[in-house]
Amino acid sequence: MSTSAISVRESEVLALLGEHLSNAEISSRLFISVRTVESHVSALLRKLDVADRRALARRAAELARAERPRPVSALPTPLTAFVGRVRERAELAEAVKTRRQVTAVGPGGVGKTRLALAVAAEAAGDFADGVWFVDLAPVLDPGRVGAAVAAAVGVGEQPGRGIDEAVLAALADRQGLLVLDNCEQIRDGVAPFLERLLVACPRLRVLATSRARMMVPFEWVFPVPPLSFADGGDSEAVTLFMERAAAVGRPPDPAVRERIAALCERLDGMALAIELAAARWPTLGLDGLTAGLSDQLRILAGGPRADDRHRSVRAALDWSHDLLEPCDRALLRRISVFAMPFTADAATEVAAFAPLDPAAVADGLGRLAEQSLLTATPSAAGTRYQALETIRQYGTERLADAAELTDVRSRHLGRCLAGATALTAAEAEGTDRPARFDALAEDMRAALAWAAGRPEQRADAYRLALAMGELTFARNLLGEAQQRFEQAAALAGEGEGEGEGAGVGAGDGAAALRQAAAVAGCRRLGDDMLRLHRAAAEAARRAGDTIGAGRDLSAAATVAYRFSSEFTRVPTADEVTAVLAEARQLSEGGDPAAEAALALAEAAVLADAFGAVQGAADNTAHETVELAEHAVELAGRAGDPVAESAALDALSGALTWAGDSFGAAAAARRRIDVLRPVPGTPAATHERMDALAMAAGTALGVGDLLLARRWGRQLADQPLFAEVGHHAMSWLLIADAFAGRAEEVLAGGTEFLDAWRRSGRQRSFSLGPAAASVAMIHGLRGDHEARVHWLAVVDRAGTTSEHRHGYGAVFDALVLLHHGDPDAALVRLAPEPDQVWKWVSWIWLHWYVALRAEASVLAGHPDARNRIAAARRTVTGNPVATAQLDRAQGLLDGDVTRQLAAAAAFDAAGCPYQAARTLLLAGPAHAEDGSAALARLGLTGG
């Protein structure tokens, strides 16, 4: 039979059979019961027409081979063929298969990179998840090693954790080979990263190239020798020379191979030196090469052999450099400032000053490529040039010797700043913007690292850091975005007191810190949000902007309560009250924005509009609503959509405390409209993510399942959630679970669970209910063992009190009623709504009272009719809860017509599960239709 007849769950079981797991092991892995596994195995035997489990395992392996995507092989393609090193390749290839971390060590120019690439290409098939290559040469900041690996592996940042942690989580169970090239210049960053990586990722292998060993656990050092010249004219060194010489012109006569061997011996078999000499073969011939290099190599007499090899490359570079025309020498040293491949136009901007004109730059690049001092690679955007790291370092030294370093670096900085400015312009938006940023990013980082330490460049460094903050945020590099905004603030602070020439000061620093605080919000880092808002207040105060300082302190007080669950150390009520008091003193003066910020802080702290961790147990709902409404009015008057959305969030929270679920949902929807025209700044993005989550939740609370799913889908599609499937899927899972869409929930639950585990098993107000919704679906399907497994996830992902008194009661009651146990459901819903209002008032109130009324009818509770009437006063306007109460009334009165009308109302409200269940409750005449409807939803068994 075609595998198209196999369900998603059966496919998962089949894959695990292919791993030769027992039924119990499959049960544990998939969170389903052993009985359910047995039924899936029986179905697979029948559908695939095989005799036993062994045959199923073979079929699983066949399907895996047919469907498995090709392993990733993210290796650069060298422009020239690899020559020789048969022994080294074999030994190193075996080492990377059997050892955790191998470091290929040798001097610059010996050929470490080419050897590593050749070995990685050969070994790629031995690693199921592929091979990744990371060139660390452009990376100047030791703290960015993890970011460079993340870019190569394709890992994005996750809210609530750093990029290093995201990389470790993504690679934790991957069987792959990571090649780290040019580790020596940031060994202080590579070594600690490798230690953590190798501990966290037991199936990962690392091949590093460096001029010195890493000195980390698991390391095995492989010294890369020079190319052999022991076999004379037949040696590897001569073969390399012959091939490279042939590539640039007339190939050498085989009769001179022995003389070439002598030349290669003088060059110590160093691959780079041999290639530089071979590039000159067409113009100098053997005699010219021998004479020129002999003169250069006289300095090599004596000394340790390893040092000689360093000097042989240096001598070959000196010799090759001295053969260049003066204009080409100038070009070689000037283009050494580029960290990444560059175009002729870019080189012209940086290098075209006396003695070079633009035409000389374009011509010179071609000549340098002909002499193997640059590589030229065609691309869609035109030819790009790049120097090997050894040659780039050599050029930088020559740049300093020529006293041009400051001038060329300044030109490079200007180009990077112009590029960053162009990318941040509104018209730069487009599908190619990420690629344009990636092509310039490392050069911008290098330019910023140089300029940040030079007082005369501080203003430009500030502007570049600020632009980098915006660009990295747009590229979803949130950790770097926060770092760049903080760096911009520090540069602005250093410029204080230097007069107008500096161009930046504390006021600019305060603005940058506000941006940094917003990025920290997107990263779910409460402690950083508070720290940065307070730092912004201090910078504003230094700039003489007391009103701005008051606004910043109001924001600090607000985030301490509004996002209290995102703090590692929750600020105490006394701490926040003191901040609020200071904000009140500084905000006097009638500024609309400051007044709006203060009003929101007072609603948050004094009335606990957001239900903060440190908030009081009691809540005066009426006062909370008034304060929140005042904050909304002031924010609207100030004309700040982001502030208005935040105030509406307070109002939505306050209305839930007052029991006004529809008002809360309306306020949440209004946030979406207010934010719709706002550009995607960090503050607006943070606000928009929160608004979508609240809109989805409050829509569920009033029974608008279709709207809840729409907001949930938009939230899941946010770029910042690309790496956090558990947060992205939460509201979709809950909406689909209430609708009864079992297959969608089970498939989404697998994604949710995997992402939640990789994220470090976080807790959140939405993660607990999401896990509980998956548990509920398993319960409706009768797979109670799987439900128990998922309830254990609920205990880790949510909070105990919310689960016990809030959403847990709702989901548990739905399962109990489904299985005909209204007495147990009534026990679960025993507390009066006003006894558990704190936990049910937001999303769960309508579900709670409607389920409680229905359970009362089915259990024969004497107060059932009164409970229906009381619930109607609460849920009027909620289509799902109203239909549920109509069904309960029909059951109580024996009115089948009313029950069938309720079924139609459930369908119209996007709740097919309750429609199907209504048919079952309506009696034998409708039970068959109800059972068929449940089967279509996947709710007829585990």
Side-chain angles (χ1 to χ4, degrees):
M1 174 175 283
S2 168
T3 56
S4 62
I6 298 175
S7 70
V8 173
R9 179 62 82 192
E10 287 167 348
S11 296
E12 294 172 342
V13 171
L14 180 61
L16 295 179
L17 287 170
E19 296 180 24
H20 304 286
L21 299 187
S22 67
N23 285 357
E25 289 170 325
I26 295 173
S27 165
S28 177
R29 184 81 66 88
L30 295 182
F31 289 92
I32 57 179
S33 68
V34 173
R35 177 178 60 80
T36 300
V37 176
E38 291 170 351
S39 68
H40 285 318
V41 171
S42 297
L44 287 167
L45 290 169
R46 182 181 71 257
K47 290 181 178 183
L48 295 177
D49 192 24
V50 293
D52 52 27
R53 289 174 68 96
R54 183 176 300 176
L56 280 177
R58 286 196 299 270
R59 180 63 63 87
E62 292 168 2
L63 291 173
R65 283 193 296 272
E67 298 175 4
R68 179 185 297 163
R70 292 175 63 85
V72 175
S73 184
L75 297 173
T77 303
L79 299 177
T80 55
F82 186 78
V83 174
R85 296 196 184 275
V86 175
R87 181 190 61 80
E88 292 95 328
R89 288 167 73 176
E91 188 175 348
L92 196 53
E94 183 61 28
V96 297
K97 296 176 192 174
T98 58
R99 300 182 183 274
R100 298 295 313 282
Q101 198 254 309
V102 178
T103 305
V105 172
V110 76
K112 301 183 297 294
T113 299
R114 290 299 303 272
L115 176 60
L117 283 172
V119 168
E122 289 179 4
D126 296 316
F127 295 93
D129 294 308
V131 179
W132 303 276
F133 179 83
V134 186
D135 183 5
L136 295 174
V139 181
L140 302 178
D141 180 357
R144 288 196 51 76
V145 173
V149 173
V153 175
V155 173
E157 295 200 39
Q158 300 179 1
R161 66 190 332 188
I163 190 65
D164 287 12
E165 287 71 26
V167 170
L168 300 185
L171 298 179
D173 59 353
R174 304 287 282 276
Q175 185 196 10
L177 175 63
L178 182 65
V179 182
L180 299 179
D181 193 32
N182 291 305
C183 296
E184 59 274 351
Q185 82 278 11
I186 49 168
R187 202 164 44 138
D188 290 345
V190 176
F193 177 80
L194 276 179
E195 287 194 47
R196 297 176 62 199
L197 181 74
L198 293 169
V199 169
C201 309
R203 303 175 70 202
L204 192 70
R205 300 288 183 267
V206 175
L207 172 58
T209 74
S210 177
R211 297 183 185 183
R213 62 178 302 176
M214 296 291 100
M215 303 295 290
V216 295
F218 304 111
E219 184 179 33
W220 184 75
V221 176
F222 180 85
V224 178
L227 287 166
S228 170
F229 44 80
D231 293 333
D234 295 325
S235 66
E236 293 177 340
V238 172
T239 302
L240 176 64
F241 185 99
M242 299 288 283
E243 182 164 315
R244 298 299 188 260
V248 296
R250 179 175 53 85
D253 191 315
V256 300
R257 291 183 73 108
E258 292 300 328
R259 294 179 62 194
I260 292 174
L263 182 66
C264 292
E265 183 174 0
R266 288 187 174 186
L267 292 171
D268 279 317
M270 299 296 283
L272 176 57
I274 291 170
E275 292 193 350
L276 291 173
R280 290 287 181 173
W281 170 263
T283 55
L284 296 179
L286 185 56
D287 291 341
L289 288 174
T290 302
L293 285 169
S294 294
D295 182 62
Q296 288 289 324
L297 295 174
R298 284 180 301 176
I299 63 170
L300 298 180
R305 202 63 193 153
D307 291 345
D308 285 355
R309 288 168 186 156
H310 278 290
R311 288 189 300 214
S312 63
V313 171
R314 162 76 63 171
L317 284 168
D318 285 340
W319 166 78
S320 189
H321 174 268
D322 292 344
L323 289 174
L324 296 173
E325 293 295 325
C327 286
D328 290 349
R329 293 180 200 169
L331 181 59
L332 179 64
R333 63 179 179 259
R334 291 173 184 178
I335 55 89
S336 68
V337 297
F338 286 102
M340 294 293 287
F342 56 90
T343 62
D345 287 342
T348 299
E349 286 186 48
V350 171
F353 62 97
L356 296 177
D357 59 26
V361 170
D363 291 343
L365 291 172
R367 287 191 294 272
L368 293 177
E370 290 171 1
Q371 305 307 322
S372 292
L373 293 165
L374 290 180
T375 58
T377 308
S379 74
T383 301
R384 289 188 173 273
Y385 300 90
Q386 186 175 27
L388 292 175
E389 179 63 14
T390 300
I391 294 174
R392 198 167 74 86
Q393 292 173 4
Y394 177 85
T396 302
E397 293 175 8
R398 287 288 185 169
L399 197 60
D401 293 341
E404 291 182 343
L405 185 61
T406 298
D407 195 2
V408 176
R409 283 283 186 196
S410 296
R411 286 171 172 267
H412 181 250
L413 170 64
R415 168 179 164 72
C416 290
L417 185 56
T421 302
L423 283 170
T424 56
E427 57 269 21
E429 297 287 348
T431 56
D432 67 335
R433 187 187 186 192
R436 291 168 59 200
F437 168 78
D438 291 344
L440 190 58
E442 288 299 346
D443 278 294
M444 289 192 291
R445 291 173 182 128
L448 181 55
W450 174 78
R454 305 184 70 86
E456 71 276 11
Q457 300 286 357
R458 185 172 294 128
D460 281 347
Y462 162 80
R463 283 188 279 273
L464 182 54
L466 199 63
M468 282 287 286
E470 295 179 31
L471 293 169
T472 50
F473 180 79
R475 197 67 177 93
N476 213 17
L477 302 174
L478 303 188
E480 184 176 3
Q482 182 179 329
Q483 174 196 351
R484 297 305 175 194
F485 284 128
E486 292 195 53
Q487 184 179 22
L491 288 164
E494 291 170 2
E496 291 180 58
E498 297 184 9
E500 294 184 4
V504 293
D508 300 295
L513 287 165
R514 291 171 195 135
Q515 294 270 65
V519 178
C522 293
R523 300 177 69 199
R524 304 174 67 89
L525 301 178
D527 306 78
D528 277 5
M529 275 192 284
L530 180 61
R531 170 181 63 83
L532 290 164
H533 278 303
R534 298 187 74 170
E538 183 57 34
R541 201 191 320 247
R542 289 199 309 273
D545 181 10
T546 56
I547 295 296
R551 192 168 63 247
D552 290 322
L553 288 175
S554 292
T558 298
V559 301
Y561 267 59
R562 185 183 180 194
F563 302 108
S564 59
S565 64
E566 297 176 7
F567 282 76
T568 54
R569 189 195 73 82
V570 179
T572 66
D574 288 343
E575 288 178 73
V576 183
T577 302
V579 172
L580 179 59
E582 189 178 0
R584 192 179 288 116
Q585 290 179 346
L586 294 173
S587 298
E588 296 175 356
D591 178 78
E595 289 181 351
L598 181 61
L600 178 59
E602 289 176 337
V605 178
L606 302 181
D608 192 21
F610 299 106
V613 172
Q614 65 271 57
D618 56 343
N619 187 302
T620 54
H622 181 69
E623 179 187 354
T624 306
V625 172
E626 287 184 348
L627 286 172
E629 287 176 335
H630 182 56
V632 172
E633 179 188 355
L634 292 177
R637 194 181 302 166
D640 184 345
V642 173
E644 187 176 356
S645 172
L648 284 167
D649 190 30
L651 178 59
S652 182
L655 290 170
T656 65
W657 303 136
D660 184 0
S661 300
F662 294 101
R669 285 197 306 273
R670 192 171 146 200
R671 294 177 66 191
I672 305 292
D673 295 333
V674 165
L675 292 169
R676 187 168 287 114
V678 181
T681 64
T685 300
H686 182 215
E687 195 65 37
R688 186 172 285 112
M689 288 169 60
D690 184 75
L692 287 169
M694 296 303 104
T698 53
L700 281 169
V702 296
D704 196 337
L705 299 184
L706 298 178
L707 192 57
R709 198 174 201 286
R710 185 202 303 172
W711 298 140
R713 181 73 267 165
Q714 288 188 23
L715 182 66
D717 290 340
Q718 291 294 301
L720 295 187
F721 275 166
E723 301 293 327
V724 282
H726 51 310
H727 285 292
M729 293 294 300
S730 291
W731 294 111
L732 283 174
L733 285 173
I734 298 168
D736 282 341
F738 275 130
R741 297 185 178 91
E743 289 297 326
E744 287 90 336
V745 173
L746 294 178
T750 300
E751 181 181 341
F752 172 94
L753 191 62
D754 180 57
W756 177 70
R757 285 170 170 165
R758 286 188 286 106
S759 74
R761 292 175 165 81
Q762 298 170 324
R763 289 185 187 272
S764 168
F765 72 92
S766 64
L767 297 181
S773 71
V774 183
M776 181 191 78
I777 289 296
H778 281 296
L780 297 181
R781 287 165 55 85
D783 195 342
H784 297 294
E785 289 184 45
R787 180 168 179 258
V788 169
H789 281 298
W790 273 94
L791 289 176
V793 175
V794 175
D795 289 340
R796 296 285 302 276
T799 61
T800 301
S801 56
E802 286 178 316
H803 183 237
R804 179 179 298 129
H805 303 300
Y807 62 82
V810 169
F811 288 131
D812 288 350
L814 281 164
V815 173
L816 291 165
L817 289 174
H818 180 85
H819 291 291
D821 194 351
D823 293 312
L826 200 54
V827 170
R828 193 70 180 87
L829 301 166
E832 294 289 340
D834 59 358
Q835 292 179 294
V836 291
W837 67 271
K838 184 175 182 179
W839 297 281
V840 301
S841 60
W842 178 39
I843 293 175
W844 318 110
L845 178 61
H846 289 190
W847 298 93
Y848 187 92
V849 298
L851 283 165
R852 191 167 184 266
E854 180 178 312
S856 299
V857 170
L858 293 172
H861 192 282
D863 202 28
R865 196 172 297 276
N866 289 335
R867 289 183 175 181
I868 292 174
R872 283 193 187 281
R873 291 191 292 272
T874 299
V875 308
T876 300
N878 181 325
V880 176
T882 297
Q884 192 165 8
L885 293 175
D886 287 344
R887 181 175 66 196
Q889 189 76 54
L891 289 168
L892 185 63
D893 297 338
D895 186 345
V896 175
T897 301
R898 187 165 194 168
Q899 293 174 52
L900 295 178
F906 280 127
D907 266 331
C911 193
Y913 162 67
Q914 291 292 357
R917 184 165 174 271
T918 304
L919 295 176
L920 289 176
L921 292 171
H926 306 284
E928 185 176 347
D929 289 341
S931 296
L934 286 178
R936 288 193 295 272
L937 291 170
L939 292 174
T940 54

